C-alpha cells in the first residue's frame, strides 16, 4: 500500500525521506519518489518505477532541501511507471503532492482542469490534486487555504502531503480515510503514513483524525478541520521498540515475528489475568458487568486473517460465555445493510487499525446506534479511535505482510474477553481457573512448537511442490484450517483450500489424489475418532496426509505428523496454528518467494 514521508527542519530532508521510504517498503509498493524545495527556489523531483534503492541511486548528491516529501506508490489508477509515481506537480511546478487513497471524482475534476488549461502528465487520480491546489494558490493565499479549498471539491479518501515552492517554510498535510502521523522533533518535524518511518527520530506523535489538516513547520504544527476550525491535539508517545523494525538476525521479518510469539503473547496477557477470581481484567472495555450481562449476541468484524482470528474468538465466546457469537468479513458486512441490534456487541479486529473496510464497518454500526469494541494492535490507529472501547494487543509492530504474531495475540485477546464474559455469566470458578492456567502456559508451549522449526522446514520442502494443498479441521479446528490455507497461499502462492473435515465427503473428496496432499488438524478432543475416520477416507483414495496433532495417528492414517503440546480444548486452536505458520514460511522459502512482501499484497489495505 502507498506510503508517505515528509520532513521540515534545519537538516537536509533527502536522507530522512529515503530512509523513511525504505522503512515503509514492507507495506508493498511498485514505485517511489521524492520532492524537495530547493535552497534557490523551485521544487526538485526524482521518481522511479522500482524499489527505493533504485530511487536512491537516481537521486544526485546535489538533491538537497530543508523541506521535502516522499512516497511509495501501489498502483491503483495507471500502471507502475516513472510518470505515474508520486510526487505530482502542477504545470507551473510550484505545488508538489503525494497522496494515499483514491479520488473518486478524479475523472470529472480532470476534465474540468483540462478545460481550464491544465496539462496532465500521468494517468493517476493524484495529479488532479496538484493542479487543483495550484488553481486555488493565487497571490497572497496561504498554502493551507489553497489545500482546504481544493479538498472541498474532492470526493474520496486521502492522506496527502503538499509542498509549495513559494512557501517552503511549511508542509500542509490532510487526512480523510488514510492515515497521517506527525512526528515532533527538536526544531524539526516529521510526517509519515505509518509511525515505523519516523520512530527512529522521535517517539512524540500526533495521529490526524479524518477530516483534519495540519500546517507543519520546523518549530511546530497547527491542526484544523476542513471548515477551518482550529483543533487541539496532544501528542502521544510511541512505546514500540526500535528493534522491532529490524530483522534482528533472522532471515526474514516473518520468521522473526513467528519466533517473537512467546513474548508477544505474554504482553497481550500482561496484567490482565486475575487468578484469585479466575477471570480477566480488561479496563479498556468501558462496559460494566450490568451492561455486559445485557448482551445477547456478539458479532465480530475483520478482514482476512483478522476475520479468521475472529472466528476463533467467536468459538471461544460461545464456549466460555455461552453467548451466541459469529465472525463476518467486515468487507462484506458493510455492503449488505446489516441489521444493527442494541443488544448485540460488535467487535472490530485489526492489526493495523487502518483497514478501510473494517473502519467503514465500524462507522456503519455506529451510525445505526450499535456499540463497537476494538481488538487492535496499533495504538491510536483510526479503528482504535473510532471504537467505544476495546483491547490493545501489545504484540509490537508487525512488519511482514502476512500476519502471525498479531493473529495469535488476537486469539489470546478473545480468550481474555470470553473468560471475562464467561465469569459474569455462568462459567464456574473451576473452569475459569482451568483457562487462566492454560493461558499462562501458552508462551512455553509456543516455544516447544517453535523448537520444531527445522523439522517443519524439511516437511515443507517435501510438500512445497504439490499442485495444491487441502487443509481440514472440525469445529474448533476449522478456523485453524482456514488460517493455515490463507498463510500458505499468500506467501508461497501454492493453491490452498480449507474445508470442514465433515464436509469432505460432500464434494471435495473428489479432488483427493497424491498430487493434492491434505494438512489435517487432529486435536485430542471429543472429535478425535471422527477426524481419524476422515484420515482413513483420504488414505483410501491415495491422498497424502500431514497431520498436526496431539498424538501421532497410526502410520496407515498419516504420512507425516507434527506434534503440538496440548492445552485446554478451547485454546488448542491457537497452538495448532503455530506449525502452520512455520509450514507456510518454510514452503515459501523453499520456493524462493519474496516472503515478507508477497506479490500483489500490501500490509494494510487502506483503500476499498
Ligand atoms: C494475512 C493478512 C491479511 C490481514 C487483513 C486485515 O496474513 O495479513 O489478511 O489480516 O488485511 O488487516 P488488519 O488486521 O491490519 O486489519
Amino acid at each position: 500500500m502507498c506510503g508517505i514521508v515528509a520532513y521540515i527542519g534545519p537538516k537536509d530532508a533527502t536522507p530522512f525521506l529515503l530512509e523513511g521510504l525504505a522503512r515503509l517498503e514492507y507495506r508493498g509498493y511498485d514505485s517511489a519518489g521524492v520532492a524537495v524545495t530547493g535552497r534557490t527556489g523551485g521544487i526538485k523531483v526524482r521518481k522511479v518505477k522500482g524499489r527505493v534503492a533504485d530511487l536512491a541511486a537516481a537521486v544526485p548528491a546535489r538533491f538537497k532541501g530543508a523541506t521535502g516529501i516522499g512516497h511509495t506508490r501501489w498502483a491503483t489508477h495507471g500502471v507502475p511507471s516513472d510518470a505515474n509515481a508520486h510526487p505530482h506537480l502542477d504545470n507551473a511546478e510550484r505545488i508538489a503532492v503525494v497522496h494515499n487513497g483514491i479520488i473518486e471524482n478524479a475523472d470529472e475534476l480532470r476534465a474540468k482542469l483540462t478545460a481550464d488549461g491544465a496539462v496532465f502528465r500521468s494517468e493517476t487520480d493524484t495529479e488532479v490534486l496538484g493542479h487543483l491546489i495550484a488553481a486555488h494558490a493565487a497571490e497572497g493565499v496561504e498554502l493551507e487555504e489553497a489545500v482546504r479549498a481544493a479538498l472541498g471539491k474532492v470526493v474520496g479518501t486521502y492522506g496527502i502531503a503538499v509542498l509549495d515552492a513559494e512557501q517552503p517554510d511549511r508542509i500542509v498535510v490532510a487526512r480523510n480515510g488514510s492515515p497521517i502521523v506527525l512526528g515532533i522533533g527538536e526544531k524539526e518535524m516529521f510526517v509519515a503514513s505509518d509511525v515505523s518511518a519516523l520512530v527512529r527520530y522521535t517517539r512524540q506523535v500526533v495521529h490526524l483524525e479524518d477530516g483534519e489538516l495540519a500546517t507543519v513547520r520546523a518549530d511546530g504544527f497547527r491542526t484544523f478541520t476542513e471548515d477551518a476550525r482550529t483543533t487541539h491535539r496532544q501528542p502521544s508517545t510511541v512505546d514500540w521498540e526500535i528493534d522491532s523494525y529490524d530483522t534482528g538476525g533472522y532471515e526474514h521479518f516473518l520468521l522473526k515475528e513467528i519466533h517473537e510469539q512467546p513474548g508477544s503473547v505474554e504482553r497481550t496477557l500482561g496484567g490482565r489475568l486475575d487468578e484469585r477470581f479466575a477471570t480477566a481484567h480488561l479496563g479498556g472495555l468501558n462496559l460494566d458487568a450490568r451492561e455486559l450481562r445485557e448482551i445477547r449476541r456478539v458479532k465480530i468484524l475483520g478482514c482476512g486473517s483478522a476475520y479468521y482470528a475472529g472466528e476463533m474468538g467467536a468459538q471461544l465466546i460461545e464456549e466460555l460465555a455461552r453467548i451466541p457469537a459469529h465472525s463476518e468479513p467486515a468487507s462484506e458486512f458493510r455492503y449488505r445493510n446489516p441489521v444493527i441490534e442494541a443488544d448485540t456487541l460488535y467487535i472490530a479486529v485489526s492489526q493495523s487499525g487502518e483497514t478501510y473496510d473494517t473502519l467503514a464497518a465500524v462507522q456503519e454500526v455506529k451510525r445505526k446506534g450499535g456499540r463497537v469494541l476494538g481488538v487492535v494492535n496499533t495504538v491510536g490507529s483510526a479503528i482504535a479511535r473510532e471504537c467505544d472501547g476495546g483491547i490493545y494487543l501489545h504484540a509490537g509492530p508487525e512488519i511482514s505482510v502476512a500476519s502471525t504474531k498479531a493473529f495469535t495475540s488476537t486469539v489470546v485477546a478473545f480468550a481474555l474477553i470470553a473468560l471475562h464474559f464467561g465469569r459474569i455469566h455462568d462459567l464456574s470458578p473451576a473452569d475459569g481457573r482451568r483457562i487462566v492456567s492454560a493461558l499462562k502456559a501458552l508462551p512455553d508451549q509456543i516455544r516447544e512448537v517453535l523448537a520444531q522449526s527445522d523439522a517443519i522446514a524439511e516437511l515443507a520442502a517435501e510438500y512445497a511442490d504439490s499442485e495444491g494443498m487441502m487443509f481440514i479441521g472440525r469445529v474448533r479446528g476449522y478456523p485453524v484450517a482456514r488460517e493455515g490455507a490463507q498463510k500458505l497461499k499468500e506467501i508461497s502462492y501454492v493453491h490452498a483450500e480449507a474445508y470442514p473435515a465433515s464436509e469432505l465427503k460432500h464434494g471435495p473428496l473428489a479432488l483427493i489424489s497424491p498430487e493434492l496432499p491434505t494438512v489435517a488438524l487432529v486435536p485430542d478432543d471429543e472429535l478425535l475418532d471422527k477426524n481419524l475416520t476422515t484420515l482413513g477416507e483420504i488414505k483410501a483414495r491415495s491422498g497424502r496426509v500431514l497431520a498436526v496433532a496431539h498424538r501421532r495417528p497410526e502410520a496407515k492414517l498419516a504420512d507425516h505428523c507434527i506434534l503440538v503440546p496440548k492445552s485446554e480444548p478451547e485454546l488448542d486452536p491457537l497452538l495448532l496454528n503455530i506449525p502452520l505458520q512455520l509450514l507456510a514460511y518454510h514452503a515459501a522459502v523453499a520456493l524462493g518467494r519474496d516472503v515478507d512482501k508477497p506479490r500483489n499484497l500490501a500490509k494494510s489495505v487502506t483503500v476499498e
Side-chain angles (χ1 to χ4, degrees):
M1 226 24 40
C2 304
I4 287 176
V5 290
Y7 173 85
I8 184 162
K11 301 188 196 122
D12 175 21
T14 312
F16 166 74
L17 297 178
L18 291 172
E19 197 209 306
L21 291 180
R23 300 237 160 243
L24 296 181
E25 283 192 299
Y26 76 93
R27 298 170 64 93
Y29 70 108
D30 48 56
S31 45
V34 285
V36 294
T37 50
R39 300 208 191 269
T40 53
I43 290 183
K44 295 189 261 193
V45 178
R46 283 289 182 288
K47 47 189 198 167
V48 298
K49 175 183 165 192
R51 315 307 285 176
V52 174
D54 303 321
L55 174 66
V59 167
R62 61 179 186 287
F63 192 94
K64 290 188 190 326
T67 311
I69 57 179
H71 193 258
T72 45
R73 173 173 186 255
W74 195 70
T76 54
H77 288 58
V79 295
S81 68
D82 291 358
N84 286 338
H86 303 200
H88 289 286
L89 297 167
D90 67 313
N91 291 142
E93 303 198 348
R94 171 181 166 180
I95 302 290
V97 186
V98 290
H99 165 228
N100 293 352
I102 292 177
I103 307 297
E104 287 165 19
N105 59 340
D107 290 348
E108 187 192 312
L109 291 171
R110 194 181 180 103
K112 184 160 185 328
L113 288 159
T114 305
D116 292 345
V119 178
F120 279 78
R121 289 175 283 206
S122 78
E123 304 158 286
T124 65
D125 53 338
T126 302
E127 195 182 345
V128 300
L129 290 174
H131 296 292
L132 200 57
I133 295 166
H136 286 90
E139 189 71 32
V141 174
E142 301 275 322
L143 177 61
E144 40 275 58
E145 284 313 306
V147 173
R148 221 170 50 72
L151 292 179
K153 302 209 161 75
V154 164
V155 178
T157 55
Y158 46 80
I160 58 168
V162 186
L163 277 190
D164 181 352
E166 293 184 17
Q167 300 176 51
D169 61 339
R170 71 195 75 177
I171 298 166
V172 174
V173 296
R175 166 186 176 133
N176 186 37
S178 198
I180 290 286
V181 188
L182 313 183
I184 303 162
E186 279 289 314
K187 299 205 168 27
E188 59 184 352
M189 288 284 298
F190 308 86
V191 173
S193 51
D194 177 333
V195 285
S196 61
L198 46 77
V199 77
R200 278 178 189 269
Y201 300 90
T202 177
R203 297 293 188 95
Q204 293 298 301
V205 299
V206 169
H207 295 265
L208 289 196
E209 301 275 356
D210 274 348
E212 203 169 29
L213 294 86
T215 304
V216 182
R217 297 172 189 264
D219 58 359
F221 66 96
R222 181 175 81 81
T223 52
F224 49 99
T225 61
E226 284 176 356
D227 52 4
R229 279 180 295 112
T230 298
T231 53
H232 299 283
R233 307 301 311 283
Q234 288 305 316
S236 56
T237 306
V238 179
D239 59 3
W240 285 354
E241 293 304 320
I242 289 173
D243 296 354
S244 309
Y245 299 97
D246 292 317
T247 51
Y250 285 91
E251 207 177 326
H252 297 101
F253 278 110
L254 188 65
L255 188 61
K256 177 180 175 228
E257 287 161 9
I258 290 172
H259 279 273
E260 280 173 348
Q261 290 177 111
S264 49
V265 166
E266 263 159 21
R267 285 197 300 279
T268 308
L269 291 173
R272 287 168 166 165
L273 287 177
D274 177 340
E275 299 197 49
R276 186 160 162 235
F277 293 108
T279 186
H281 286 305
L282 301 168
L285 294 188
N286 299 332
L287 288 170
D288 61 28
R290 188 187 52 78
E291 289 171 303
L292 283 177
R293 277 192 212 98
E294 282 167 6
I295 292 165
R296 293 284 161 266
R297 263 173 298 282
V298 175
K299 164 74 87 179
I300 301 168
L301 300 166
C303 295
S305 291
Y307 154 57
Y308 298 138
E311 289 199 309
M312 292 192 192
Q315 293 205 357
L316 278 158
I317 292 170
E318 284 210 355
E319 287 199 69
L320 297 179
R322 303 305 296 155
I323 302 173
H326 183 246
S327 178
E328 179 176 345
S331 48
E332 290 283 291
F333 175 87
R334 59 174 291 220
Y335 287 115
R336 66 170 180 82
N337 193 19
V339 176
I340 304 300
E341 298 166 305
D343 56 3
T344 296
L345 177 67
Y346 297 85
I347 305 183
V349 181
S350 179
Q351 185 287 126
S352 62
E354 301 290 349
T355 298
Y356 190 77
D357 282 325
T358 310
L359 179 61
V362 172
Q363 289 166 340
E364 185 65 16
V365 174
K366 293 196 72 183
R367 194 172 299 118
K368 293 176 174 167
R371 192 194 314 245
V372 198
L373 298 183
V375 173
V376 173
N377 194 32
T378 309
V379 175
S381 55
I383 293 170
R385 282 179 286 132
E386 194 75 40
C387 289
D388 302 305
I391 299 194
Y392 279 122
L393 300 179
H394 303 304
E398 198 177 61
I399 305 295
S400 192
V401 163
S403 186
T404 51
K405 64 176 179 172
F407 178 92
T408 301
S409 281
T410 302
V411 182
V412 170
F414 273 116
L416 292 170
I417 293 174
L419 177 62
H420 182 73
F421 287 13
R423 291 288 292 124
I424 57 167
H425 282 88
D426 64 357
L427 189 73
S428 69
D431 273 331
R433 275 193 295 276
R434 184 172 66 74
I435 298 299
V436 168
S437 343
L439 284 168
K440 283 172 59 188
L442 283 175
D444 280 340
Q445 292 182 307
I446 295 173
R447 280 185 194 100
E448 271 183 59
V449 181
L450 298 177
Q452 300 179 59
S453 183
D454 290 348
I456 295 173
E458 281 175 30
L459 286 173
E462 191 155 327
Y463 284 92
D465 59 1
S466 309
E467 73 181 27
M469 284 184 100
M470 185 82 89
F471 285 70
I472 58 167
R474 249 170 232 269
V475 188
R476 295 186 196 109
Y478 179 48
V480 185
R482 296 191 83 184
E483 171 60 9
Q486 158 101 336
K487 212 88 307 170
L488 183 70
K489 73 182 101 168
E490 71 182 322
I491 59 172
S492 74
Y493 319 150
V494 173
H495 178 72
E497 291 228 40
Y499 270 95
S502 53
E503 281 288 297
L504 217 55
K505 55 183 169 301
H506 299 292
L509 205 52
L511 292 172
I512 296 300
S513 75
E515 285 71 46
L516 189 92
T518 300
V519 175
L521 283 316
V522 193
D524 193 358
D525 62 10
E526 66 281 8
L527 295 171
L528 178 62
D529 288 345
K530 303 257 173 249
N531 279 322
L532 294 177
T533 305
T534 305
L535 299 194
E537 286 166 3
I538 297 169
K539 292 304 297 172
R541 278 127 189 121
S542 318
R544 283 194 292 158
V545 171
L546 167 56
V548 178
H550 293 134
R551 272 191 284 156
R552 190 174 295 279
E554 286 176 66
K556 65 175 192 225
L557 294 181
D559 301 84
H560 298 100
C561 178
I562 301 170
L563 286 176
V564 175
K566 179 95 185 74
S567 178
E568 290 298 328
E570 298 89 335
L571 295 172
D572 279 334
L574 202 148
L575 289 171
L576 291 166
N577 179 55
I578 310 282
L580 302 190
Q581 298 173 340
L582 287 167
L583 186 72
Y585 170 77
H586 289 299
V589 170
L591 293 167
R593 307 300 190 218
D594 189 352
V595 176
D596 285 329
K597 295 190 278 282
R599 69 184 181 202
N600 308 338
L601 297 180
K603 181 62 183 163
S604 61
V605 184
T606 51
V607 292
E608 282 184 79

